[in-house]
Structures are given as structure tokens and as C-alpha cells.
Amino acid sequence: MRIRDAVATPGLGKQSKNSPTVKSGAGTSSLFAAELTNQQFDMTSYEQEVENLRQEIGMVGDKLADEPTLPNFKRFRDLLSQLAKRISNEAYRLEKIGGTPQNPRTFEIITVINAEADKLYNLIIKDNRDNMAITAKVIGIKGLVVDLIT
């Protein structure tokens, strides 16, 4: 029996020839609905978490620009690393290719999975470039201090 034959049978109600019918087994549609709901929840929680991080980075970055103190620097650096870790887990995939015993050389391919997350990350980095320059200078000064001590 073909799908079009099943659609054309009189007991299935009025459906067009091109609309497919899906006969669900016991619990199949509820399993799909549960998985779809779970994925939607994960996506909205991910978006909310990234948005919260973005807002917090903006506030702490402004505070760092006004008061470049060590606690502000550490908080800004920690927030940036959290954002980079969160987005890199969702936006990119790393594959290693090669590596045979005869040719041990391997290649790594980075693929962008979520282009929107990549764009958001680049936008946040672009907006906070001045604050990151301050952070880089503080790291450089800390390195000089360590060099002087040793």
C-alpha cells in the first residue's frame, strides 16, 4: 500500500492527495512532542543565558572603564571566559582527520554549527574591544611585576 492509496481511502477523512498521513505507534507522537519541547526549552535557556552574560559583560566592562581595579578586571575576564566557553561549545565543532601509522600528521577542521551564536560572539567582542585592551594592559603589567619579583 502506498501513501497516496492510504490518503485516498474514504475512512481517513477529507485530506488532499499531497498531504501525508502519519500513523503513530503507541507513544511515538508523545515521545516526539516531549523531545521537541525539551529542545525548545534548551534553546530558550541557552539564549537567555547568553543574553544575561552579554548584559553583565556590558555592565562590568563599563565599570572597568570607569574604575580599572583588580577585582573589576578579574570579574570582566571571568565573564568573557564564561561567554567564550558557552558559545564555543554551541557554535563550533572540531574534527580531527588523518593520523595513520604511516602518516601521523593530523588536520583539524573547525566547522561553524551555529552562525547566529558566532555573530553574537563577534559582536560582543567588537563592543568590548576597549575594555579588552585595558584587560590586556593589566595582564602585561602583572607579567612585568612577576618578572621583577623573580
Side-chain angles (χ1 to χ4, degrees), residues 19-114:
S19 66
T21 58
V22 178
K23 293 183 179 180
S24 61
T28 305
S29 64
S30 63
L31 180 63
F32 175 76
E35 183 63 27
L36 181 62
T37 304
N38 188 25
Q39 291 295 327
Q40 288 174 336
F41 177 74
D42 289 346
M43 190 62 181
T44 55
S45 66
Y46 167 75
E47 289 172 354
Q48 184 64 37
E49 183 179 338
V50 169
E51 181 62 26
N52 289 343
L53 276 172
R54 186 189 67 78
Q55 290 174 355
E56 197 169 352
I57 285 172
M59 291 184 332
V60 172
D62 292 340
K63 190 173 182 180
L64 177 65
D66 293 340
E67 301 173 25
T69 62
L70 198 57
N72 290 343
F73 158 73
K74 286 181 180 180
R75 182 71 182 141
F76 183 73
R77 184 187 62 188
D78 291 342
L79 286 172
L80 277 179
S81 67
Q82 283 178 0
L83 178 72
K85 189 182 300 182
R86 183 69 175 142
I87 288 184
S88 67
N89 286 340
E90 297 290 330
Y92 310 107
R93 178 178 51 227
L94 176 70
E95 293 180 62
K96 292 185 179 185
I97 297 176
T100 63
Q102 293 81 17
N103 186 6
R105 187 170 53 175
T106 61
F107 299 97
E108 294 178 348
I109 299 173
I110 299 173
T111 309
V112 176
I113 299 171
N114 189 344

